[in-house]
Structure formats: structure tokens, C-alpha cells
Amino acid sequence: MKSFLRIPSLLLGLLKPKSNKPEIESYGQKDSGLEVEQIQQIMEWLLASLLNAGYVGRSHLIWDLGDQDWKQVLLMGILKDEPVFLYRCGDRPSLAPEHCCWRLMAEYPSMRIYQLEVKEG
């Protein structure tokens, strides 16, 4: 029943116009346990990476403690074709939704940033 209650908010989110400037929506930042300087460094690196890849628009960054339910955020990113990233604060990342996987972004030195990818086929 709770998932049906979220459908209107998902639909409203899809109606928002796409951004023409670089934006990173952040989720779970307060519970991450990281210092402000660490968070700023990670977000700056991610923004620079997105700009270097030629992406301008909204993206999503989840500060994940593991075993958390991020389905609404993940679905929104997938439906709007916006990149979704996860910073692993715990031992392992939360599960990706069905037909998706977390790809480790080895370019970041801590080996804690992942990008959500939809599996082919």
C-alpha cells in the first residue's frame, strides 16, 4: 500500500523540467557520519567528473549506510534518465533495484563511489 502512495510524488517529479545547469541532489547526507570537508570534496570531485564527461543537468548522490531502501530516488533517476551515484558509508552498498547494478567508479581514490546502471537485456 505504501508504494501506491508514492506514485503521485513520482509522477509529479517526472513533470519537472530538466535542468540546463549542473545540479547534484543529495540524499542521506546528514546520516553519513562524514565531516563537512569530506562531503564537499566528494561532491566537488563528482561535479568535476560530470562536467568532464560533458553532462550538464541534474544528478543524484546517495550517502548510503547499507541495507537502506532508496527505490524512490533510484526510480526517479532512471525514469528521468539522470545519473544516480551512491557513496558507500558502510561495508557494502544497499541493493540496486531489479535489472540494475552498482558499478564501482574506480577513478575515485576511496573506492566508495558507485554509479547506478541498468542491465542490458
Side-chain angles (χ1 to χ4, degrees):
M1 179 68 176
K2 287 183 181 179
S3 61
F4 288 117
L5 297 175
R6 293 182 183 165
I7 291 174
S9 63
L10 285 173
L11 293 174
L12 287 174
L14 289 174
L15 296 175
K16 287 183 184 177
K18 289 204 175 210
S19 178
N20 59 357
K21 61 181 180 173
E23 293 180 44
I24 301 176
E25 295 283 333
S26 182
Y27 309 89
Q29 182 175 323
K30 292 179 183 177
D31 300 325
S32 70
L34 298 173
E35 298 293 325
V36 174
E37 295 82 19
Q38 290 174 294
I39 292 171
Q40 182 176 350
Q41 177 190 24
I42 293 163
M43 292 191 69
E44 286 174 358
W45 179 86
L46 183 57
L47 182 61
S49 296
L50 289 166
L51 292 173
N52 190 42
Y55 181 80
V56 178
R58 181 175 292 124
S59 60
H60 307 270
L61 176 59
I62 298 169
W63 303 90
D64 181 58
L65 300 173
D67 295 330
Q68 291 180 279
D69 181 8
W70 296 108
K71 287 180 188 169
Q72 187 171 3
V73 174
L74 301 176
L75 184 57
M76 181 66 65
I78 291 168
L79 291 175
K80 292 183 86 173
D81 199 24
E82 297 170 343
V84 178
F85 301 93
L86 178 140
Y87 184 86
R88 179 177 50 84
C89 299
D91 293 334
R92 65 181 126 227
S94 293
L95 292 175
E98 191 174 347
H99 305 295
C100 296
C101 63
W102 290 114
R103 180 184 59 82
L104 178 66
M105 296 183 69
E107 304 88 357
Y108 192 74
S110 76
M111 304 289 281
R112 290 181 170 267
I113 296 182
Y114 299 79
Q115 182 172 4
L116 185 68
E117 292 187 350
V118 177
K119 292 179 184 176
E120 296 291 323

